[in-house]
């Protein structure tokens, strides 16, 4: 008889069935099945990866069936909307939709404040990190909880998916970074040691390197494949809280308790700029995405790129894409600031929050910026005028983090109240 399953998968299934029989106390059936399947001598072990595997797979099948039914219902409704013309009632282009209250869903599984939220770059998956030492994985469309990643021994401070979404990296107050294989059920495949204090932020540099920022005042660059630290960037005089990498992976920006934002050349490891202007701790700094550059140039009163290149005033060579042209930072001084990487000058200050600015994300359209703050709000900023266009009450406590899905029009925010809110954009 030809098996439908490959030999390796068949053996996996047989061992899972044997473990289930042992768990249920079917001793005689276990003995017979073990002999007939060629697994004589099978010993059940609660630490073995086959333990409870059958029950887990069965639960997953039920969850998938439920999801398929929900999707079929949504598809049917959308088809009805298309036939009746109801879809046309949505305002603006889909690429420009913004989050609207109330929150579509509230995710409540964590037992301590939320520190980071990250959408998967290709699938409808959301990862949430917390001071409860765990990372939780959710279906971002249905809001269903999927799994918990355990391993860190103190608060998980930040995390990042690689561009393909095949790897998730987390960092923690336990001084380590952990690398999780998304394709292998989020198995932890590597732990990186090297920092001397709390690791507060992490990001990918291309596909093969990781950058981490720490309270030990340094930034470390790691090889993903080996886990080796290949470079340490020193210069800040206090805790490095945030970092961001340019689209071309050539530059890095960092935010620190020393109230500065620094610009680094990753090839040489040299600090190319020390941006001063904030009056308190700088919580977050990121490079503005290329989609926003035209709007930010208008905001700052700079000439369009074509004119600037012709005059040689954009800080780049004619053939070089200006992927690291602008940096945006958020601070405990309640402001966000826009910086020019070429001149190292402050271009604009976004004023409106009533408490610490904790995180922000630029809308995929490049026209708006969404920020969150300890004033419990999410604010939408028009990047052409620099003004706050909308204020949304985001949580009942300090709002700590935000991310925008690249797969479906959703925004996620996390709060000290231990919940994550999902906001539909329309």
């Amino acid at each position: 008889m030809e098996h439908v399953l490959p030999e390796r998968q068949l053996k996996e299934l047989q061992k899972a069935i044997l473990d289930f029989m042992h768990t249920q106390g079917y001793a005689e059936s276990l003995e017979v099945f073990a002999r007939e399947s060629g697994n004589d001598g099978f010993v059940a072990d609660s630490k073995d990866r086959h333990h409870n595997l059958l029950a887990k797979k069965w639960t997953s099948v039920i969850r998938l069936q439920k999801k398929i039914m929900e999707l079929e219902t949504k598809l049917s409704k959308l088809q009805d909307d298309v036939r009746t013309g109801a879809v046309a009632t949505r305002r603006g282009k889909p690429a420009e939709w913004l989050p609207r209250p109330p929150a579509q869903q509230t995710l409540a599984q964590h037992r301590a404040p939320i520190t980071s939220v990250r959408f998967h770059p290709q699938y409808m998956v959301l990862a949430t990190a917390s001071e409860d030492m765990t990372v939780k994985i959710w279906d971002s469309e249905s809001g269903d909880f999927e799994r918990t990643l355990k391993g860190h021994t103190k608060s998980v401070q930040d995390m990042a998916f690689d561009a393909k979404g095949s790897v998730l990296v987390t960092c923690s107050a336990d001084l380590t970074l952990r690398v999780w294989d998304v394709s292998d059920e989020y198995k932890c495949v590597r732990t990186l040691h090297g920092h001397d204090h709390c690791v507060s932020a992490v990001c990918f540099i291309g596909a093969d390197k990781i950058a981490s920022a720490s309270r030990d005042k340094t930034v470390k660059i790691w090889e993903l494949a080996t886990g080796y630290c290949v470079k340490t960037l020193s210069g800040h005089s206090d805790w490095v809280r945030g970092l961001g990498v340019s689209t071309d992976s050539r530059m890095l920006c960092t935010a620190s308790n020393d109230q500065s934002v620094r610009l680094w050349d990753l090839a040489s490891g040299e600090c190319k700029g020390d941006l001063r202007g904030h009056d308190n701790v700088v919580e977050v700094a990121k490079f503005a995405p290329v989609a926003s550059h035209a709007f930010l140039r208008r905001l700052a009163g700079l000439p369009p790129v074509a004119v600037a290149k012709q005059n040689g005033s954009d800080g780049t060579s004619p053939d070089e894409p200006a992927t690291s042209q602008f940096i945006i930072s958020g601070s405990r001084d309640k402001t966000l600031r826009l910086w020019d990487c070429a001149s190292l000058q402050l271009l604009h200050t976004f004023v409106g929050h009533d408490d610490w600015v904790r995180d922000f994300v630029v809308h995929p359209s490049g026209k708006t910026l969404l920020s969150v703050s300890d004033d419990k709000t999410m604010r939408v900023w028009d990047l052409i005028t620099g003004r706050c266009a909308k204020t949304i009450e985001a949580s009942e406590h300090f709002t700590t983090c935000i991310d925008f899905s690249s797969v479906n029009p959703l925004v996620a925010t996390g709060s000290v109240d231990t919940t994550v809110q999902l906001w539909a954009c329309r």
Side-chain angles (χ1 to χ4, degrees):
M1 176 182 176
E2 185 180 352
H3 296 302
V4 176
L5 294 174
E7 186 64 25
R8 185 181 65 82
Q9 292 184 8
L10 181 62
K11 283 294 180 185
E12 295 279 308
L13 177 60
Q14 290 170 350
K15 289 179 180 179
I17 294 172
L18 288 167
D19 176 85
F20 176 77
M21 289 179 171
H22 176 268
T23 303
Q24 299 300 312
Y26 304 147
E28 292 183 14
S29 300
L30 188 151
E31 183 180 349
V32 172
F33 185 68
R35 184 174 64 254
E36 292 185 346
S37 62
N39 287 284
D40 294 299
F42 172 82
V43 178
D45 185 354
S46 60
K47 295 181 180 179
D48 189 88
R49 63 195 181 91
H50 301 99
H51 182 60
N52 281 337
L53 182 61
L54 198 63
K56 290 176 183 176
K57 293 292 186 184
W58 179 258
T59 304
S60 297
V61 169
I62 298 298
R63 190 190 306 123
L64 287 171
Q65 287 177 335
K66 178 185 174 185
K67 193 179 298 183
I68 289 169
M69 292 172 66
E70 290 174 350
L71 288 172
E72 287 175 341
T73 302
K74 287 184 178 180
L75 178 60
S76 177
K77 184 178 183 304
L78 285 172
Q79 288 173 335
D80 289 341
D81 287 346
V82 170
R83 280 194 295 270
T84 60
V87 173
T89 62
R90 286 189 162 181
R91 292 177 289 177
K93 300 175 182 177
E96 298 176 2
W97 289 345
L98 294 171
R100 295 179 185 273
Q104 179 175 280
Q105 294 191 71
T106 299
L107 311 181
Q109 285 268 356
H110 284 289
R111 293 178 288 107
I114 309 299
T115 55
S116 180
V117 289
R118 292 287 181 268
F119 283 103
H120 191 283
Q122 296 184 1
Y123 304 125
M124 293 180 186
V125 170
L126 174 69
T128 59
S130 167
E131 289 182 11
D132 66 11
M133 304 183 289
T134 71
V135 171
K136 293 186 183 291
I137 307 299
W138 312 77
D139 182 311
S140 62
E141 186 177 42
S142 66
D144 288 342
F145 167 72
E146 294 191 348
R147 69 179 71 234
T148 299
L149 310 186
K150 295 181 180 180
H152 284 296
T153 56
K154 288 187 178 180
S155 170
V156 183
Q157 300 292 91
D158 194 20
M159 57 189 168
F161 284 104
D162 70 331
K164 294 182 178 178
S166 56
V167 176
L168 175 69
V169 174
T170 57
C171 64
S172 168
D174 66 11
L175 318 189
T176 70
L177 295 91
R178 285 181 176 257
V179 181
W180 310 82
D181 186 344
V182 175
S183 61
D184 191 11
E185 298 189 338
Y186 291 88
K187 178 182 178 182
C188 181
V189 294
R190 190 165 288 112
T191 302
L192 313 183
H193 299 269
H195 281 293
D196 299 324
H197 215 313
C198 168
V199 190
S200 44
V202 64
C203 69
F204 273 89
I205 303 171
D208 59 349
K209 287 186 174 62
I210 302 165
S212 60
S214 169
R215 194 173 179 178
D216 65 13
K217 308 176 188 178
T218 70
V219 172
K220 291 185 181 291
I221 311 300
W222 312 79
E223 278 187 346
L224 178 62
T226 63
Y228 293 147
C229 176
V230 295
K231 194 173 293 182
T232 299
L233 309 182
S234 301
H236 281 292
S237 59
D238 207 334
W239 188 340
V240 187
R241 285 193 173 268
L243 78 174
V245 65
S246 62
T247 309
D248 58 10
S249 300
R250 293 168 59 180
M251 306 295 288
L252 192 77
C253 63
T254 52
S256 170
N257 274 30
D258 64 15
Q259 302 184 16
S260 76
V261 175
R262 286 185 176 241
L263 178 65
W264 307 84
D265 183 312
L266 284 169
S268 65
E270 294 179 15
C271 178
K272 294 296 185 180
D274 186 358
L275 312 179
R276 299 274 176 172
H278 282 294
D279 301 324
N280 207 328
V281 169
V282 188
E283 289 276 347
V284 57
K286 302 174 188 177
F287 287 97
V290 176
S292 67
H293 286 188
F295 307 110
L296 293 175
R297 294 185 76 86
R298 287 176 60 184
L299 172 63
L302 299 174
V305 173
V307 176
K309 282 189 177 294
Q310 188 176 3
N311 297 337
S313 61
D314 71 332
T316 66
S317 67
D319 299 321
E320 180 185 345
T323 60
S324 56
Q325 189 171 2
F326 301 107
I327 291 173
I328 303 173
S329 56
S331 166
R332 292 184 184 179
D333 65 10
K334 309 176 188 177
T335 70
L336 294 115
R337 295 179 188 244
L338 172 67
W339 310 86
D340 185 337
C341 295
S343 66
L344 306 181
Q345 296 298 306
L346 174 64
L347 299 177
H348 185 80
T349 301
F350 300 86
V351 179
H353 278 295
D354 299 321
D355 211 329
W356 298 356
V357 177
R358 298 292 291 270
D359 197 10
F360 69 86
V361 63
V362 176
H363 191 280
S365 69
K367 292 183 178 180
T368 54
L369 178 148
L370 288 71
S371 61
V372 292
S373 162
D374 278 3
D375 64 12
K376 309 175 189 177
T377 69
M378 168 171 49
R379 291 180 187 251
V380 179
W381 304 85
D382 185 326
L383 291 183
I384 298 176
T385 65
R387 298 192 184 97
C388 179
K390 180 188 291 188
T391 301
I392 298 171
E393 297 297 324
S395 57
E396 296 180 0
H397 210 313
F398 303 153
T399 313
T400 56
C401 47
I402 186 170
D403 197 22
F404 202 110
S405 172
S406 59
V407 180
N408 51 348
L410 275 180
V411 169
T413 58
S415 170
V416 168
D417 67 13
T418 76
T419 68
V420 173
Q421 306 286 343
L422 289 179
W423 307 83
C425 298
R426 53 189 187 273

